Amino acid sequence: MNRIILLGPPGAGKGTQAKRLAQELKIAHISTGDILRQNVKDGTPLGGEAKDFMDRGLLVPDELMAKMLKSRFGEQDIKKGFILDGYPRNIAQAMTLEEIFKAMGLDIDAVIYLDTSEKVIIQRLSGRLVCSKCAANFHVSNMPPKKEGVCDKCQGSLYQRTDDNVETIKKRLEVYNNEVAQLIEYYKKLNKLYRLSADGEAGAVLKEIIALIK
Ligand code: AMP
C-alpha cells in the first residue's frame, strides 16, 4: 500500500504520522495545510485568498483547493506513492480527488481514520509548535524539542500556529464534525476505510499504522 489518505480531526496527529510514514515508506507527503501556510508565508495570490479562511478556522473554498491539488499531483514525486494529509475535508473534495486519480489512472489503496477524543485534541493543539523552516511538529510537553524554540531537524525557529487558539480550535472541530460523517460513509462503501485510535503516544500509533499497511 503506497497511496494513502489520512483522515481525522485537527490534532489527531495526521501531520506527525504522515511525515514519519512518508519517510519510512519513501513516498511523498502532501499536506494541504502545509502548502497553504507556505503560500501565506511567501505572499502568493493563493496565500492571500486563503489566509482569512484559515485564521477563522474555516475551509478554504473547494475550487481553490482543487486547483492547488491538481498542480501538486502534476509533480513527479507522486509516482512513487503518496500520503495525503488534510484532504479531502468534504464530499466535494473527495469527488475532485477521484477525478484527479481517474485522469492519472490511479486508485487509492487505503483511507486511515485516526479516531481521537476531544480532550486529547485540545491538549495537543494548544501545545503544538511548528518549525518555520521545515514544518516539523513538536509539542511543549508530549514531544518537546531538544533546545527550546529550535527545530531538532533543521535548526529553524519554532512558532505556534495562529489557528491553534481555543476559539479557532473549536470552530475547526465544528467544521470537521459537520463534514466527516459523510466522508467516512463514502470510503466505507468503497471498502477502503480502516479505523484506529490515535489517542496514544505518536510512536505507538505509527507502529499500528505500519502494521495495518503491511
Ligand atoms: P491543517 O494544517 O490541515 O490543520 O489545515 C489548516 C487550515 O488550512 C484549515 O483550518 C483550513 O483553513 C485550511 N485547509 C487545509 N486543508 C484544507 C482543505 N482540504 N480544504 C479546505 N481548507 C483546508
Side-chain angles (χ1 to χ4, degrees):
M1 285 194 192
N2 66 356
R3 290 192 285 261
I4 301 162
I5 295 176
L6 273 191
L7 275 188
K14 296 187 297 297
T16 301
Q17 299 298 345
K19 282 188 182 78
R20 293 182 186 189
L21 268 177
Q23 242 179 0
E24 175 91 19
L25 304 175
K26 300 190 173 48
I27 56 179
H29 171 210
I30 307 174
S31 157
T32 47
D34 282 354
I35 300 174
L36 288 170
R37 279 183 290 280
Q38 190 61 47
N39 275 276
V40 171
K41 196 172 149 194
D42 294 345
T44 68
L46 169 63
E49 287 194 72
K51 188 179 183 315
D52 188 47
F53 294 100
M54 296 169 78
D55 284 345
R56 286 156 59 205
L58 302 175
L59 292 186
V60 173
D62 290 341
E63 315 82 73
L64 275 182
M65 295 305 297
K67 212 165 132 196
M68 183 182 117
L69 212 72
K70 279 179 190 155
S71 144
R72 181 63 185 90
F73 271 93
E75 288 176 36
Q76 280 302 314
D77 62 336
I78 295 300
K79 297 216 167 90
K80 60 190 180 187
F82 55 83
I83 178 143
L84 201 43
D85 146 23
Y87 195 100
R89 291 272 232 278
N90 58 29
I91 281 290
Q93 295 189 0
M95 296 303 146
T96 299
L97 205 54
E98 218 174 84
E99 240 177 69
I100 295 176
F101 290 158
K102 218 172 183 176
M104 294 176 78
L106 293 179
D107 203 3
I108 273 291
D109 295 322
V111 178
I112 302 177
Y113 179 74
L114 300 178
D115 239 327
T116 320
S117 65
E118 190 153 325
K119 195 172 141 214
V120 169
I121 291 171
I122 307 271
Q123 194 270 349
R124 281 187 188 155
L125 293 184
S126 51
R128 169 158 69 183
L129 299 168
V130 184
C131 176
S132 54
K133 227 160 114 189
C134 74
N137 277 224
F138 296 86
H139 188 278
V140 285
S141 53
N142 304 351
M143 224 191 300
K146 290 194 184 96
K147 191 173 164 201
E148 198 183 320
V150 179
C151 176
D152 291 356
K153 296 176 179 120
C154 75
Q155 316 307 312
S157 58
L158 302 181
Y159 72 101
Q160 187 164 35
R161 278 172 47 172
T162 50
D163 58 351
D164 279 346
N165 63 77
V166 175
E167 198 187 328
T168 315
I169 290 172
K170 282 195 179 141
K171 186 69 204 167
R172 283 156 65 202
L173 280 175
E174 185 191 316
V175 169
Y176 170 79
N177 287 325
N178 283 341
E179 305 286 354
V180 74
Q182 269 188 306
L183 272 182
I184 289 178
E185 266 319 297
Y186 178 73
Y187 287 116
K188 215 171 169 179
K189 276 198 187 124
L190 293 177
N191 269 331
K192 306 253 185 210
L193 190 79
Y194 300 84
R195 290 179 90 125
L196 53 90
S197 166
D199 272 358
E201 180 270 319
V205 175
L206 180 68
K207 274 191 192 149
E208 275 195 62
I209 298 177
I210 289 173
L212 191 151
I213 291 170
K214 288 187 171 159

